[in-house]
Amino acid sequence: MIVVNGRLTIDPASLPAIKDALATMETASRAEAGCHDYTFSVEVNDAAQMRITESWESVEALQAHFATPHMAEFRKTLAAHPPNSSDVKFYEVNEINPMG
């Protein structure tokens, strides 16, 4: 499984302008083959911090995601309202059950 963990620093005033694009991206991405989760969230204590959490069945599924039309549209929206900074990391993981 591939997990994507991202943190974007945004201007909170831009959130209304990108909210529809975020919702569209979540819905379209979750419908893709190999997507287990795709979520944007804003930190409760700092509205300038947006988190991206994704999980994918494989690198191939993630690469196919990057080539979708909804990704291209999302990139256009972000280009019009760019984050102040971004840090996105990709991890290959194995699920564990720490509760026993």
Side-chain angles (χ1 to χ4, degrees), residues 8-18 42 47-50 81-85:
L8 305 177
T9 302
I10 62 167
D11 176 356
S14 72
L15 194 54
I18 65 173
V42 176
Q49 300 303 313
M50 180 181 296
H81 305 278
N84 298 324
S85 67

Side-chain angles (χ1 to χ4, degrees), residues 25-75:
M25 190 64 172
E26 281 184 345
T27 301
S29 298
R30 289 175 184 164
E32 289 180 54
C35 181
H36 295 282
D37 183 40
Y38 200 101
T39 304
F40 292 99
S41 58
V42 176
E43 290 187 12
V44 172
N45 293 314
D46 185 353
Q49 300 303 313
M50 180 181 296
R51 300 290 181 146
I52 304 167
T53 306
E54 307 171 32
S55 59
W56 295 89
E57 188 67 33
S58 65
V59 170
E60 293 79 16
L62 180 58
Q63 289 172 333
H65 165 69
F66 291 144
T68 60
H70 54 271
M71 176 59 92
E73 285 300 312
F74 181 70
R75 286 181 174 147

